[in-house]
Amino acid sequence: MERAERVPQPAPPNGRRLAPLLSLLFPGAGHIYAGRQERGLWIAVTAATLLTLLWWLKFWSLLPALVPFWLWNAWETRTIVQGRRPSTVKLVLSAAIIVYAIGWRVTEIDVQRLAAGAQKIRPFVVSLVRPYYVDREVTYAAFPAPVQVPCGEEPSPPPAGAGSGPTIVPTPACASVGETITVRGEGFPPNVEGELWWENPIGDRVRLRSGGEFVTFVADEQGTFEVKVTVPDVVPRQFQESAQLHTVEARYVRDVGPWRLTETSYLVAQRMGETIAQALMATTWGAIFAVPLSFFAARNLMQFHPLALLVYYLARTALNVLRAIEPLIMAIVFVVWVGLGPFAGVLALTMHSIAALGKLYSEAIESIDPGPIEAITATGANRVQVVWYAVLPQVLPPFVAFTVYRWDINVRMSTIIGFVGGGGIGFLLQQWIRLTDFRSASAAIWAIALVVTVLDFFSRKVRERFV
Amino acid sequence: MLEVRKLTKVYDDGTVALKEVSFTVPDGEFLVIIGLSGSGKSTLLRCINRLIEPTSGQILWDGVDITAAGQEELRRIRRQIGMIFQQFNLVKRHTVLTNVLTGRLGYTSTWRSLLGLWSREDRARAMRNLELVGIADKAHNRADELSGGQQQRVGIARALMQEPKLLLADEPVASLDPATSHSVMKYIEWMNRERGLTVLCSLHFLSLARRYGTRIIALRAGELVFDGRPEEIDDRRFKEIYGDEAIEVEIR
Amino acid sequence: MSERSFYVRWGRYLLLVALAIPLYIWSWRTADINLVDLIQGAPKARPIISDLVRPSLLARERVTLSVSAVVRVPCDAPPPEPPPAEGPTLTLSATCLNARDSLVVSGSGFRPNTPGRLYWRVAGLEGRLRDEPFETDAQGRFTVETDIPPLLAQQGGDHTLEAELKWEAGALRPSETLRTTIDKMIETVFLALMATTFGGLVAIPLSFLGARNLMPTTPWGTTLYVAVRSFFNTARSIEPLILATIFAIWVGFGPFAGVLALSVHTIASLGKLYSEAAENIDPGPIEAIRSTGANEWQVIWYGVVPQIVPPYVSFTVYHWDINVRMSTIIGFVGGGGIGLELQRWINQLQWNSAATAVWAIVLVVSAMDYASAIVRERLV
């Protein structure tokens, strides 16, 4: 193409003025008139596609963005009839204006939302540096005081007498749901930080919140503090009529135990194991099915008969179609088929691996060097010997390299196949993100990063040795 | 006059490429540097325009100490020193003309060169130089479409663009066949004789060195082992330079 | 490599395979491989496969004809006589009935050979009650027998009996599914395009920092190089789908979240590919340009840029192709594109619709695959 453009095309008589006008009428028309059929056709198809897109999406307001392309194509036609070489880069750039204008609209890009949502994502970013792998067992010192909800005819219980240890006093000692009471603490260790909890009459506890944040207190030098809390809605409506005794509780950390692995760690380790196993099984099954298939999809092996060639085309098409469908989509189908769990994931990944490996294998077979085969055959070797000494040594290294590479990819894939119920770590990760348990999510993400990076490195080493 | 004093280069890995090499080159000389691969020829040439930083020693050119020059001054010095390379070192995807024009970069302001705004004068000069080396018709071809000998001639044209006073040629014909070698060497000889350039040229083959050099220096393992006229190299000297096993071959 | 050492090497790998057996047993169990489920579940997969070849593409407009008559339940007073109607008419065996009485409905003058159904509009209630289905004969007549539903008696009053026929008529046009699919596929392709562009734009400057040969060997240079390379490797290992889950929280559901997730992943993958390409450039031309006395900017523009443009463009096109694949599924977690619709259709077992989406994906992805291969071939 490069070279073809350098040959100056003779401008048709009277074409000097007509060609740019034609291109202005419809892009590419002038090119075709001036003898640049291929370029003109490409430009015309591009313009038609863009117009169709605008029509389909009803984006008529973006029509001005099409103007630069329209004008440039006419200008370019002028360049051509003058015998100069048109610049493809500039033409593509002028078309890019309208393409990106459409893209910007279609994908709803909104920088404001990015800025506005930053608050929501902050806890996640903070959690990223604190993955929840280890924690310490914590024992609390807890100091309760009764609160009557709502105020009834019976007098509310007297506040607990001032003992020697820390005490808290809620005032007033009775309130309705949603009302604010003041909790005053005395006799606490100086400067201690703590949290406030609420217990309903049947012993369910919640940590008190105010405006989305947990309520905390900090004692002063004398060991006293005062915080306002809102009586939480922790009893079913129909029982809120009669006065009941609830408990408000102030707690602080008395003792911190040794470091230990969290439940999250165990879960992450177990699911990462599942992820790796899944990928290994899928790669193995994929390879087992892909090897025979790849022979049918290798052109150099299937040229001996028209029927064989037909088989070749069928195999190639099947592999291409299968490869185009993401394993996640297949996983949804297999979840319907065999139920939730890692097996569905294995099946989906297997299908995709067959397609991907089949294509790579068959390309490896197609690119073998016929020289050694000729040489071994010339020694009088039989077919099996030829395959063993001339074909296998050539195809085995790329086969192994591709398979290891596939395992690597399958591990990546199986980290997300759980999103649709296909097993592996994906399901847990998604749950944690949805429940805003970002520290656990962070633990899972770092585990994925570690395993994938290690496997990536390992597979790269293996491939370097084989290729 | 170019004066090299006690030039030493030790690479980061400890390899000693040059050991206290000293020599002077009067203006207008065609100095050929010979020696085995790895004897330090390339390092020596690259130290002169400081593509490689020498470890110690001095290089004086018309009294200016190149080794002490700051970045700005070094660039001013470099643009007066043309260089051609064994692998031609053309930018393959650019046209021949653009490759030749890059010889003027040292004389062109940054923004003009980034926008490709070469002066009319430079363009004319580039075409003249291409005519001089006989490939003006290839000016708009991509550099990698040319044969090896043609590419080296583009390299020569590029060096000519700098209007240099000194030409460094690092094995200019080692990647070319014998016939092409002579045609390229003739261009270099022409630059030396007609344009009066001082030439420092490293060569692999003694026969070429004898044919074109007005003086020869020889390096062996980074040390200067010979400095004299071409005809002074006899069999004993030859074995000193190239080792006992070597046999001289003729390039015609 | 001699023939013998070749087989000695392969012998070693065979040994490795023997060691791999326990690994395989563990994997088999962990991955919960259950071939019985696979075979027993096969009937469930039948409709999937049979509908896969019948994607919903075209549909005709649906025409509805409804004719009504009034019935009084319970029968406390005779209902008003129905006005004589032109065209299709309903004839009832009685117009005043009690609960559970039998009612024979016959009609004439309807569209021949068309399925229909009876419905009740109950006095004082919203909506309508489904009753018996029927089909008209060649003369456009039908007769159907039904019982009066008890609800009619409970409510009391004049109720309306409707006979409704539905059939397809008019020209074929794209089905609702196809229209949605096309909309979403456009979104998918543009999503990938925007993400590739943003990712590429950020990756280019980063890739220079991640190329060993372009970074100075000072401690600062090395630190920056290591930091950039580590970022590439870590961010690359996190699938875009996971990133999309997070961005969906950040900017809300929609294609923008998908664009951001794919952009981040693209920065990392392209950054790595770009910096490897930058590391592989030929130092010769750089040396030559430098020897002419050019400054650093000129060296980069004339020595480095012409060498990296072809691999950079080729990798970018390749990555657009990958991003199109990714954006077909990024909708699963609220990132826009066809994924959301596809998942909805599969979950609602609308396999014809799902098939439309799947074939559209196959078409677009294969076309992209082919186009990107052609572009890359031309560039090298």
Side-chain angles (χ1 to χ4, degrees):
Chain A
M1 186 176 166
E2 281 276 343
R3 208 155 304 179
E5 281 179 0
R6 240 170 259 123
V7 183
Q9 303 274 339
N14 304 326
R16 284 177 169 259
R17 276 201 212 115
L18 189 55
L21 279 178
L22 277 175
S23 272
L24 206 56
L25 217 60
F26 195 87
H31 291 77
I32 295 172
Y33 178 72
R36 299 294 297 266
Q37 278 86 354
E38 195 191 334
R39 194 181 181 86
L41 216 60
W42 274 110
I43 293 173
V45 167
T46 308
T49 311
L50 287 170
L51 281 173
T52 313
L53 257 180
L54 288 175
W55 165 75
W56 180 271
L57 298 165
K58 304 277 179 294
F59 280 0
W60 296 121
S61 58
L62 290 183
L63 266 178
L66 190 59
V67 172
F69 173 67
W70 209 279
L71 291 182
W72 184 263
N73 114 84
W75 180 259
E76 194 190 88
T77 319
R78 197 173 155 266
T79 321
I80 288 172
V81 292
Q82 285 172 354
R84 278 184 288 146
R85 205 179 133 198
S87 155
T88 306
V89 173
K90 285 173 188 158
L91 186 71
V92 169
L93 283 180
S94 69
I97 296 172
I98 174 73
V99 169
Y100 281 105
I102 298 174
W104 194 277
R105 262 268 197 92
V106 166
T107 56
E108 295 165 23
I109 288 172
D110 185 350
V111 184
Q112 262 189 337
R113 259 200 293 168
L114 194 64
Q119 275 306 314
K120 287 185 219 155
I121 209 68
R122 242 210 22 220
F124 174 77
V125 178
V126 172
S127 306
L128 259 188
V129 292
R130 297 170 59 220
Y132 195 47
Y133 290 125
V134 288
D135 66 356
R136 308 174 82 159
E137 195 171 10
V138 172
T139 46
Y140 288 96
F143 305 95
V147 180
Q148 194 180 346
V149 182
C151 293
E153 278 123 46
E154 293 170 42
S156 38
S164 52
T167 51
I168 58 167
V169 183
T171 37
C174 71
S176 301
V177 170
E179 286 181 347
T180 305
I181 57 170
T182 306
V183 176
R184 191 181 150 75
E186 273 173 6
F188 280 78
N191 305 320
V192 75
E193 290 175 32
E195 43 199 53
L196 285 163
W197 288 69
W198 193 275
E199 193 179 310
N200 72 6
I202 50 169
D204 294 333
R205 288 175 172 204
V206 290
R207 193 170 166 191
L208 286 171
R209 286 172 184 265
S210 154
E213 298 287 316
F214 287 124
V215 178
T216 57
F217 66 81
V218 184
D220 60 15
E221 293 290 334
Q222 282 76 45
T224 61
F225 66 87
E226 220 176 78
V227 284
K228 290 199 186 313
V229 301
T230 309
V231 176
D233 185 2
V234 287
V235 174
R237 279 285 135 83
Q238 59 263 41
F239 302 115
Q240 284 179 6
E241 302 297 319
S242 53
Q244 294 162 332
L245 266 192
H246 291 231
T247 311
V248 63
E249 193 179 271
R251 291 179 175 185
Y252 62 87
V253 175
R254 174 185 282 157
D255 194 22
V256 177
W259 288 103
R260 54 171 189 178
L261 285 173
T262 55
E263 184 73 6
T264 300
S265 297
Y266 291 112
L267 276 172
V268 166
Q270 187 204 337
R271 289 310 171 94
M272 276 320 288
E274 197 173 288
T275 302
I276 295 168
Q278 233 182 349
L280 181 65
M281 289 326 291
T283 313
T284 311
W285 285 113
I288 290 171
F289 287 108
V291 169
L293 246 174
S294 68
F295 286 92
F296 293 110
R299 206 193 169 97
N300 55 345
L301 299 185
M302 302 300 284
Q303 264 168 340
F304 56 90
H305 193 272
L307 220 61
L309 208 59
L310 185 73
V311 171
Y312 158 80
Y313 281 118
L314 282 177
R316 263 296 159 99
T317 311
L319 291 180
N320 280 335
V321 166
L322 212 55
R323 217 165 50 90
I325 304 169
E326 282 289 309
L328 222 63
I329 297 172
M330 296 191 196
I332 307 182
V333 175
F334 279 114
V335 163
V336 176
W337 188 333
V338 298
L340 290 170
F343 185 42
V346 169
L347 288 170
L349 288 174
T350 303
M351 295 298 279
H352 199 252
S353 297
I354 292 173
L357 284 177
K359 182 161 190 273
L360 289 174
Y361 287 171
S362 59
E363 279 166 2
I365 297 173
E366 281 175 1
S367 64
I368 61 172
D369 179 6
I373 299 174
E374 212 173 39
I376 300 287
T377 315
T379 65
N382 62 31
R383 277 197 81 81
V384 176
Q385 287 167 324
V386 168
V387 167
W388 188 251
Y389 280 96
V391 179
L392 270 188
Q394 285 196 67
V395 297
L396 267 179
F399 274 30
V400 172
F402 288 141
T403 312
V404 172
Y405 177 54
R406 198 70 225 164
W407 186 25
D408 179 19
I409 292 181
N410 277 342
V411 169
R412 287 162 199 263
M413 295 275 189
S414 59
T415 61
I416 52 167
I417 210 130
F419 279 33
V420 294
I425 195 154
F427 178 70
L428 269 184
L429 176 58
Q430 200 186 23
Q431 284 300 307
W432 281 329
I433 294 176
R434 293 228 166 118
L435 297 171
T436 67
D437 183 358
F438 290 140
R439 287 196 63 198
S440 296
S442 153
I445 286 176
W446 284 111
I448 292 172
L450 180 77
V451 170
V452 170
T453 312
V454 167
L455 270 170
D456 185 45
F457 178 78
F458 167 71
S459 95
R460 186 175 291 250
K461 285 280 156 223
V462 172
R463 274 180 288 152
E464 268 167 23
R465 276 185 71 170
F466 277 94
V467 182
Chain B
M1 190 166 77
L2 182 77
E3 199 178 344
V4 176
R5 288 186 192 157
K6 297 201 165 181
L7 189 68
T8 300
K9 172 66 190 176
V10 184
Y11 283 107
D12 287 343
D13 62 358
T15 318
V16 182
L18 293 173
K19 258 185 253 169
E20 306 210 328
V21 175
S22 302
F23 59 93
T24 49
V25 191
D27 285 343
E29 196 160 59
F30 195 123
L31 178 77
V32 173
I33 305 162
I34 56 169
L36 289 170
S37 315
S39 60
K41 302 189 296 283
S42 291
T43 309
L44 175 60
L45 287 172
R46 280 171 172 73
C47 279
I48 290 170
N49 63 0
R50 272 176 61 194
L51 285 177
I52 291 174
E53 288 292 333
T55 312
S56 67
Q58 274 186 318
I59 300 163
L60 298 170
W61 190 32
D62 292 339
V64 180
D65 188 353
I66 295 178
T67 44
Q71 283 300 313
E72 251 334 290
E73 200 189 346
L74 176 63
R75 280 202 283 275
R76 272 199 301 280
I77 293 169
R78 273 182 184 161
R79 70 185 190 191
Q80 300 174 50
I81 304 177
M83 188 162 188
I84 55 181
F85 304 83
Q86 177 181 352
Q87 296 299 336
F88 327 130
N89 288 0
L90 302 182
V91 180
K92 293 191 175 62
R93 287 185 63 83
H94 276 164
T95 60
V96 166
L97 186 64
T98 310
N99 267 294
V100 174
L101 280 166
T102 56
R104 292 307 284 179
L105 282 175
Y107 296 89
T108 313
S109 73
T110 305
W111 70 270
R112 281 190 81 94
S113 54
L114 294 198
L115 294 174
L117 300 170
W118 303 98
S119 68
R120 201 175 287 271
E121 201 182 317
D122 282 348
R123 285 178 186 278
R125 199 198 307 263
M127 285 312 292
R128 270 207 309 279
N129 284 331
L130 279 173
E131 269 161 34
L132 218 57
V133 295
I135 42 171
D137 57 322
K138 305 274 185 197
H140 296 284
N141 285 44
R142 253 173 64 162
D144 55 3
E145 290 168 7
L146 270 58
S147 71
Q150 287 173 328
Q151 287 196 35
Q152 192 58 295
R153 284 191 267 165
V154 176
I156 291 170
R158 174 171 66 189
L160 278 174
M161 287 299 282
Q162 294 173 237
E163 316 236 291
K165 296 198 181 100
L166 175 66
L167 181 73
L168 306 175
D170 181 19
E171 304 257 13
V173 295
S175 307
L176 303 175
D177 63 69
T180 324
S181 290
H182 275 297
S183 90
V184 166
M185 285 309 295
K186 288 225 171 78
Y187 281 113
I188 298 175
E189 191 178 36
W190 174 85
M191 287 163 85
N192 175 251
R193 298 250 169 96
E194 306 296 321
R195 291 271 177 113
L197 265 71
T198 311
V199 173
L200 265 72
C201 178
S202 68
L203 287 174
H204 223 72
F205 291 108
L206 192 56
S207 59
L208 283 175
R210 282 202 169 111
R211 159 78 180 73
Y212 293 99
T214 56
R215 178 176 153 207
I216 291 179
I217 61 174
L219 291 175
R220 186 175 179 178
E223 282 179 285
L224 193 71
V225 292
F226 174 82
D227 185 345
R229 279 175 290 114
E231 55 272 22
E232 285 174 42
I233 300 183
D234 53 20
D235 213 38
R236 188 179 57 80
R237 287 261 161 74
F238 178 79
K239 289 223 153 65
E240 252 174 46
I241 298 164
Y242 286 99
D244 294 335
E245 306 289 308
I247 302 165
E248 191 177 346
V249 287
E250 192 83 358
I251 292 265
R252 286 178 207 283
Chain C
M1 184 178 69
S2 76
E3 285 296 332
R4 194 168 162 274
S5 84
F6 174 81
Y7 287 105
V8 167
R9 238 176 63 183
W10 281 101
R12 275 223 309 278
Y13 293 124
L14 276 179
L15 196 73
L16 268 179
V17 168
L19 291 174
I21 287 174
L23 181 67
Y24 269 93
I25 294 173
W26 168 76
S27 293
W28 185 283
R29 288 196 178 162
T30 313
D32 223 0
I33 306 272
N34 188 341
L35 297 178
V36 178
D37 273 1
L38 184 65
I39 294 156
Q40 284 183 343
K44 285 187 222 158
R46 269 253 311 279
I48 305 176
I49 290 156
S50 64
D51 279 359
L52 204 59
V53 292
R54 294 188 297 139
S56 152
L57 296 177
L58 300 172
R60 289 179 198 282
E61 216 155 332
R62 289 184 79 80
V63 179
T64 307
L65 172 74
S66 187
V67 177
S68 55
V70 178
V71 178
R72 172 156 293 180
V73 180
C75 193
D76 37 24
E81 277 298 310
E86 298 285 311
T89 45
L90 284 183
T91 318
L92 308 186
S93 59
T95 54
C96 187
L97 295 136
N98 288 314
R100 293 183 213 287
D101 282 353
S102 174
L103 170 69
V104 179
V105 183
S106 44
S108 60
F110 285 87
R111 188 173 182 269
N113 302 320
T114 308
R117 190 181 274 280
L118 294 180
Y119 295 91
W120 288 100
R121 285 200 185 276
V122 184
L125 289 181
E126 291 278 315
R128 57 185 194 174
L129 224 59
R130 253 160 73 108
D131 207 328
E132 296 290 315
F134 58 84
E135 190 162 347
T136 56
D137 61 14
Q139 281 76 46
R141 285 191 299 249
F142 71 91
T143 305
V144 59
E145 192 178 341
T146 179
D147 293 332
I148 299 297
L151 182 67
L152 270 61
Q154 263 179 35
Q155 284 295 119
D158 288 346
H159 310 286
T160 312
L161 176 70
E162 288 180 357
E164 191 174 287
L165 272 73
K166 271 188 180 165
W167 68 92
E168 290 176 339
L172 277 175
R173 61 194 182 104
S175 65
E176 194 56 42
T177 304
L178 184 64
R179 297 176 69 86
T180 313
T181 304
I182 292 174
D183 269 345
K184 289 295 169 183
M185 281 317 288
I186 292 174
E187 190 177 297
T188 303
V189 173
F190 275 106
L191 206 157
L193 175 69
M194 296 312 273
T196 314
T197 310
F198 291 146
L201 286 178
V202 180
I204 288 171
L206 278 182
S207 70
F208 293 137
L209 302 180
R212 198 80 203 85
N213 55 340
L214 299 182
M215 287 301 281
T217 43
T218 57
W220 266 109
T222 311
T223 313
L224 203 57
Y225 161 79
V226 171
V228 168
R229 272 300 174 97
S230 313
F231 164 72
F232 286 163
N233 279 328
T234 315
R236 223 166 50 93
S237 65
I238 306 300
E239 283 286 312
L241 219 63
I242 297 173
L243 296 171
T245 321
I246 294 155
F247 278 112
I249 298 175
W250 189 336
V251 297
F253 278 28
F256 186 37
V259 169
L260 289 170
L262 284 175
S263 295
V264 171
H265 196 254
T266 306
I267 291 172
S269 328
L270 273 186
K272 192 178 153 83
L273 290 172
Y274 285 172
S275 37
E276 279 167 2
E279 281 176 355
N280 281 331
I281 59 174
D282 178 6
I286 297 172
E287 196 179 35
I289 303 279
R290 187 166 282 146
S291 79
T292 66
N295 64 34
E296 284 307 306
W297 289 108
Q298 292 170 328
V299 170
I300 289 176
W301 190 246
Y302 282 95
V304 180
V305 170
Q307 290 197 62
I308 59 174
V309 164
Y312 274 35
V313 172
S314 149
F315 284 137
T316 311
V317 172
Y318 170 63
H319 219 272
W320 184 19
D321 176 21
I322 292 183
N323 277 347
V324 169
R325 288 161 195 266
M326 292 285 181
S327 56
T328 60
I329 52 168
I330 209 137
F332 288 10
V333 294
I338 189 119
L340 182 66
E341 299 300 325
L342 177 57
Q343 194 180 29
R344 194 167 59 85
W345 285 327
I346 295 179
N347 286 344
Q348 295 174 355
L349 306 182
Q350 295 183 24
W351 295 108
N352 298 77
S353 300
T356 314
V358 167
W359 285 114
I361 290 173
V362 169
L363 189 74
V364 170
V365 169
S366 309
M368 283 297 303
D369 192 39
Y370 180 73
S372 100
I374 297 269
V375 170
R376 277 179 288 149
E377 236 169 62
R378 279 214 174 167
L379 275 172
V380 180

